[in-house]
Amino acid sequence: MRNIVAIADKELRSYFVSPIAYVVIGLFALLFGWFFVASLSVMVRFSMQAGMFGGGPQSININEFMLRPMLANTAIVLLFFLPFLTARAYAEEKKSGTIELLLTSPLSDLEIILGKFLGVLALFVLMLAVTALHMVILFWYGEPELGPMLSGYLGLLLMGASFISVGLLVSSATRNQIVAGVVTFAVLLLFWVLTWLADSLGPTTGAILSYLSLLEHFDDFSKGVIDTKHVAYYVSFIAFGLFLTAKAVDTERWRG
């Protein structure tokens, strides 16, 4: 466990040594802030328009009208951001030549993979933590429900962790960070649009594709529903991605 934490700490620090972490967190906070202001503006306008027929501003469900669409937009942003965060995980090690030192160190493949995974995941958690200020503002001026808000963030966390597992797998198979980022984005986009393809296929194939879709399992979280089948899907997706990464790293080790 100590080795895993050490690798995770090294991975996290490497993002802050360069401008990567600051740029990513800054842009993510800027986009989330824009979503927040735009959603709040629409909600206030809708409340005022409804009040014209009801004798005054009408109260509306903040979670359903504002928070759920905002979290859905955030998930789309993560689809673009996370592939390029994970691109450097192994590709940079191969490019700089430090991958040989890492693979010949007294560390198991599992420790290396989990360490890198937790390092990127920690940066992702920091990105989500920045948005907590906006949630505080909602509670200060309104009465949102805490349960759906927490379940929505849990959904983002699980979905983001799934993105990271795919990113580590692709990064472990190439030396080029740009290639790793683009391929990861393409793979995640494929899993994202499976539901669209399911609508044009038969009921059996459509049901299978819908279940495999990353987006399909996030929807209930944004509604405030934590279903064990969705949690199991994301956990299985993460585990399978890390398993394939372990196989790719093992192949690299034998080549070395």
Side-chain angles (χ1 to χ4, degrees):
M1 186 64 185
R2 184 180 301 174
N3 292 335
I4 295 175
V5 173
I7 295 174
D9 181 65
K10 172 182 173 295
E11 193 71 19
L12 180 60
R13 288 176 182 272
S14 68
Y15 286 103
F16 286 94
V17 170
S18 65
I20 295 176
Y22 304 100
V23 172
V24 169
I25 293 177
L27 288 176
F28 181 74
L30 181 64
L31 287 171
F32 191 90
W34 186 83
F35 292 148
F36 179 83
V37 172
S39 300
L40 185 61
S41 176
V42 171
M43 185 180 69
V44 171
R45 190 182 307 116
F46 179 83
S47 177
M48 296 299 292
Q49 290 176 349
M52 294 175 63
F53 303 96
Q58 303 295 305
S59 61
I60 58 179
N61 190 315
I62 296 178
N63 293 80
E64 185 67 25
F65 194 89
M66 178 180 175
L67 189 61
R68 187 182 171 194
M70 190 166 61
L71 291 178
N73 290 334
T74 303
I76 297 175
V77 172
L78 295 178
L79 182 65
F80 288 89
F81 273 54
L82 292 183
F84 294 96
L85 273 184
T86 57
R88 67 185 302 277
Y90 282 100
E92 177 67 19
E93 299 269 13
K94 293 180 179 181
K95 184 178 179 180
S96 62
T98 57
I99 188 67
E100 287 79 9
L101 294 175
L102 187 63
L103 295 180
T104 55
S105 64
L107 298 171
S108 67
D109 291 345
L110 180 61
E111 289 176 331
I112 296 172
I113 293 166
L114 289 179
K116 286 184 172 294
F117 174 76
L118 292 177
V120 183
L121 185 63
L123 179 58
F124 174 50
V125 171
L126 288 176
M127 292 168 59
L128 292 180
V130 171
T131 67
L133 175 62
H134 302 86
M135 302 302 106
V136 172
I137 294 174
L138 281 183
F139 278 103
W140 187 268
Y141 290 101
E143 297 180 354
E145 298 177 48
L146 181 61
M149 182 180 294
L150 294 178
S151 70
Y153 270 88
L154 175 61
L156 285 179
L157 182 64
L158 291 172
M159 177 181 284
S162 301
F163 290 177
I164 293 171
S165 68
V166 173
L168 291 179
L169 170 60
V170 176
S171 181
S172 67
T174 181
R175 295 176 178 270
N176 190 301
Q177 294 185 48
I178 297 178
V179 172
V182 171
V183 173
T184 301
F185 173 75
V187 172
L188 293 177
L189 185 62
L190 176 62
F191 277 97
W192 189 276
V193 301
L194 283 178
T195 304
W196 305 351
L197 299 176
D199 295 337
S200 60
L201 300 175
T204 302
T205 305
I208 294 174
L209 291 180
S210 294
Y211 181 79
L212 293 176
S213 171
L214 286 165
L215 182 61
E216 184 73 15
H217 294 274
F218 175 73
D219 192 46
D220 277 349
F221 285 102
S222 65
K223 295 177 182 177
V225 178
I226 301 178
D227 195 324
T228 53
K229 72 176 182 180
H230 300 317
V231 176
Y233 167 82
Y234 282 123
V235 172
S236 301
F237 193 99
I238 295 166
F240 188 61
L242 296 180
F243 170 76
L244 293 180
T245 305
K247 292 299 181 182
V249 172
D250 186 56
T251 301
E252 186 73 24
R253 186 188 294 274
W254 281 106
R255 286 177 180 175

